[in-house]
Amino acid sequence: MKTSNRANFSKLGVILATAGSAVGLGNVWRFPYMTGHNGGAAFILLYIGCVLILGIPGMVAEFVVGRHGASNAFRSYASLSRSKGWGAVGVLGVITAMIILGFYAVVAGWCLQYLFASFSGSVLGDPDYVADYFKTFSTHPVKPALWALAFIAVTHVVVTRGVKGGVERASNLLMPTLLVLLVGIVVASCLLPGAGKGIEFLFKPDFSAITSSTILEALGQAFFSLSLGTACLCTYASYFDRKTDLMKSATQVALIDCVIAILAGLMIFPAAAAVGVNPDSGSSLVFITLPNVFQQAFSGIPMLGNVVALMFYALLSMAALTSTISLHEIATVFFHEELHLSRRAAATIVSAICGVFAVVCALSVGAVPGLRLFGLSAMDFGDTLTSQYLLPIGSFFTCLFVGWVVPKGVVFDELTNGGTVSLRIYRLWLFAVRVVCPIAILLIFGHQLQLF
Ligand code: TRP
């Protein structure tokens, strides 16, 4: 059911916009932080396993709902079954996306601070200075909150200008440039004296370090990085045209996403080993490692370190922006279409709610240490609650929905575009969505909750 005239992405736009949503701080900030926290190579293997076995089928499932529903998350789910109750999965996605946007904007705000500080070169220095700089800035009572709000404001402007003008154009140039710059920094980082230990950390698995929470964190990281489980991809798929090959698009996006995450790991861990930063430094890891690379690896040519730093933070902020746009867009379209508000009013509601949460998260990092829930800062709580619980739950229900509730003819038609994709792939995918994904998610949860 169409509730508004929906613009379509162009063929390349499908991949770019979806990859733009997937690639972001999840790859460059969160992936190294999680890998460092979980002991390196073994975690990466689990992560790749989750992407291949659960991520790609789950992504295609969201695409099916979105392209067929051609509406906001709630209506797409509700219109594909007899019971409106399934619309709740879409609503859960909207809520999850808004929580993510809140804490994500804080980290994106850190990038903006680093971007502007790179103009003066004030983030570069010796390892102690770099670590101090992050600590002083991130616990400042005003600055991080203001940067987070600034990020939400920019997202707001792009989203109110509409999907086609904003999202697609923003993604076009970004991805290739980011890739080239990342490769350059990876080479520089791996050439630092003492980098070898970091490379070993990334590629020599130690399976004894794996616990049930490692598996849940790998699952959460995979879903977070692929933008899965919030109906975000479902909303984007509502802009796909009939010819888009859903399986191929999902595979391409997952591949791009994984490559960028691994490159980010290769950029961080060799450098961390070289300058003596602990891989398990938590959410500050990337911010206390990279300025050292810029300072030390590019010191041969005057100002080169500054220029690379500037370009890097600019590109990372852009990559974060194409992700925040997607998070904002899900919620905005929902309020716009379901509450019959103008797009602008809907976007304003989303920005206001997420802005308040972002300020709370920013302050919880250090300025107001009392902002805690269940022993975690509001920021870490938002992160853990969404990636380890709400995203897998959202995906679990999406898989059940597409596998067992949506009429089979619809699913077949969407996946094969009326018969153009091979039956074998279709059967394999259907088995993953009906059986493998739901059971795997249940097992991982059950194990974490120590039910067995
Ligand atoms: N995947 C993005 C990243 O890696 C973040 C993101 C955008 C996201 N949209 C999402 C995460 C929807 C979960 C759900 O940075």
Side-chain angles (χ1 to χ4, degrees), residues 20 51 142 211 235 319 339 375:
V51 169
V142 182
T211 63
T235 303
L339 303 184

PDB file of all heavy atoms in Angstrom, residues 20 51 142 211 235 319 339 375:
ATOM      1  N   GLY A  20      25.977   3.272   2.517  1.00  0.00           N
ATOM      2  CA  GLY A  20      26.191   4.496   3.287  1.00  0.00           C
ATOM      3  C   GLY A  20      25.613   4.372   4.678  1.00  0.00           C
ATOM      4  O   GLY A  20      26.188   4.846   5.658  1.00  0.00           O
ATOM      5  N   VAL A  51      27.924 -12.354  10.105  1.00  0.00           N
ATOM      6  CA  VAL A  51      27.535 -11.573   8.932  1.00  0.00           C
ATOM      7  C   VAL A  51      27.027 -12.510   7.836  1.00  0.00           C
ATOM      8  O   VAL A  51      25.965 -12.300   7.242  1.00  0.00           O
ATOM      9  CB  VAL A  51      28.722 -10.729   8.399  1.00  0.00           C
ATOM     10  CG1 VAL A  51      28.401 -10.138   7.027  1.00  0.00           C
ATOM     11  CG2 VAL A  51      29.070  -9.621   9.384  1.00  0.00           C
ATOM     12  N   VAL A 142      30.441  20.756  28.527  1.00  0.00           N
ATOM     13  CA  VAL A 142      29.625  21.396  27.492  1.00  0.00           C
ATOM     14  C   VAL A 142      29.962  20.917  26.077  1.00  0.00           C
ATOM     15  O   VAL A 142      29.070  20.564  25.294  1.00  0.00           O
ATOM     16  CB  VAL A 142      29.802  22.937  27.545  1.00  0.00           C
ATOM     17  CG1 VAL A 142      28.914  23.601  26.511  1.00  0.00           C
ATOM     18  CG2 VAL A 142      29.483  23.462  28.942  1.00  0.00           C
ATOM     19  N   THR A 211      33.827 -16.600  25.034  1.00  0.00           N
ATOM     20  CA  THR A 211      32.811 -16.949  26.034  1.00  0.00           C
ATOM     21  C   THR A 211      31.445 -16.654  25.423  1.00  0.00           C
ATOM     22  O   THR A 211      31.376 -16.183  24.286  1.00  0.00           O
ATOM     23  CB  THR A 211      32.959 -16.057  27.284  1.00  0.00           C
ATOM     24  OG1 THR A 211      32.708 -14.707  26.875  1.00  0.00           O
ATOM     25  CG2 THR A 211      34.329 -16.158  27.902  1.00  0.00           C
ATOM     26  N   THR A 235      13.007   0.398   5.542  1.00  0.00           N
ATOM     27  CA  THR A 235      12.603   1.726   5.074  1.00  0.00           C
ATOM     28  C   THR A 235      13.361   2.097   3.796  1.00  0.00           C
ATOM     29  O   THR A 235      12.774   2.607   2.839  1.00  0.00           O
ATOM     30  CB  THR A 235      12.856   2.790   6.164  1.00  0.00           C
ATOM     31  OG1 THR A 235      12.155   2.395   7.343  1.00  0.00           O
ATOM     32  CG2 THR A 235      12.374   4.151   5.735  1.00  0.00           C
ATOM     33  N   ALA A 319      30.906   9.699   6.726  1.00  0.00           N
ATOM     34  CA  ALA A 319      30.412   8.316   6.795  1.00  0.00           C
ATOM     35  C   ALA A 319      29.415   8.185   7.941  1.00  0.00           C
ATOM     36  O   ALA A 319      28.394   7.502   7.821  1.00  0.00           O
ATOM     37  CB  ALA A 319      31.574   7.343   6.988  1.00  0.00           C
ATOM     38  N   LEU A 339       1.422   9.766  11.733  1.00  0.00           N
ATOM     39  CA  LEU A 339       0.756  10.821  12.514  1.00  0.00           C
ATOM     40  C   LEU A 339       0.285  11.953  11.611  1.00  0.00           C
ATOM     41  O   LEU A 339      -0.211  12.974  12.070  1.00  0.00           O
ATOM     42  CB  LEU A 339       1.691  11.373  13.597  1.00  0.00           C
ATOM     43  CG  LEU A 339       2.257  10.374  14.609  1.00  0.00           C
ATOM     44  CD1 LEU A 339       3.073  11.089  15.672  1.00  0.00           C
ATOM     45  CD2 LEU A 339       1.133   9.581  15.277  1.00  0.00           C
ATOM     46  N   GLY A 375      24.556  -0.171  36.197  1.00  0.00           N
ATOM     47  CA  GLY A 375      26.012  -0.195  36.300  1.00  0.00           C
ATOM     48  C   GLY A 375      26.751   0.309  35.065  1.00  0.00           C
ATOM     49  O   GLY A 375      27.969   0.259  35.013  1.00  0.00           O
TER      50      GLY A 375
END
